Amino acid sequence: MSAFRIAARLLVVLFLGLGAGSATGQAFNPPAGTVTAGVYASPPFVIEDGGLYTGMAIELWQALAIRAGLATRFVEYPTLRELVDATANGQIDVAVTNLTINQERAQSIDFTQPWYDAGLRIMVADGQGAGFWDVVAGLQESGHLRAYLWLGLVIVAATIALTLFDRRFDKEFPRDWPSGLAESFHHVMSIATSGKTARKKMFGAFGRFLSAVWLVCGVAVLAYVTSSVTSVMTAAAITSRIDGLSDLPGKTIGVFSGSVAETYSASIGLDTRSYRGIEDAVAALRAGNVQAVVADAPVLEYYSHTRGGTGLTVVGPIFNPDKYGFATPLDSPLSREITLDLLGAHEDGTVERLRTKYFGNER
């Protein structure tokens, strides 16, 4: 091939590599030397900005396309499941994103040489802990709510009894019932919450003895309510906190539709809700619709790093380790060609340079 034709092809690659399309569900028959690459926006691997695509996976693919002398037409799909289906149906020539290699997908598509090691992690909202209804539920489960009900009935009975008593023996006590009940209720609650009484000295020593007994009861009630609420709040905070995979059972988890995280979470019995991508999942996390988001570790780490100060934290170690690869329809000759070029990209340091560019020197 002449130098002029090579240069012209490279210009076509660079020009078409910046283009974008929309998924229409229709197969595309590219001209010779042009491939249709399906993409799924997943920063920092695929970043869409005004119809242009960048990111580690995009840059790596463009480097491979240049090696193979191919021009690229990009078509974006809204979910990973739709991207995988389009690849399996031959609607696109290659899937370009952080696509996890696994046995289920390998039954319908071909994978190339892996180009990134990853796994799953968990994202939670900062300040996670027990909410009001969590505490109420804890009080009910521990039987304290029933005890509070009985205490409430005792307080009502004491208020009525004290009102009747004062109306009979205290000439200065309000004579109308609303004022009298309010006065007695205030006195009862004063003893129950502060252990203090402002009662007059009535009935001599016997009256003082009754007041002392009433004070002891009030202190006991206050101590019981304080200790029970504190213990339940502590237990609820511990059980609601998420620090790793073992804390996820019993929680509602956000995952990406068609992702490995969705399949894995379902396989271990977690309660999941599926979202199109990280923006939708994070919105659900902020709204309290889910308690955590499980997704590819580098995607969550990149989002948390680039959205600093947004109240999100990635917690726990990586689990369910996996690898990313590009994908083609079954038996596509392009798969072998891309794999050979990927091996070359590993050997000459292209893959490592891109990894360092987007993730730094930390592994």
Side-chain angles (χ1 to χ4, degrees), residues 170-186:
D170 188 354
K171 296 180 179 180
E172 297 179 3
F173 190 78
R175 309 319 293 177
D176 61 294
W177 279 99
S179 298
L181 288 171
E183 182 71 19
S184 297
F185 179 73
H186 177 270

Side-chain angles (χ1 to χ4, degrees), residues 155-173:
I155 290 173
V156 171
T159 299
I160 295 174
L162 189 60
T163 301
L164 293 173
F165 180 85
D166 282 340
R167 281 173 62 89
R168 180 177 180 84
F169 296 103
D170 188 354
K171 296 180 179 180
E172 297 179 3
F173 190 78

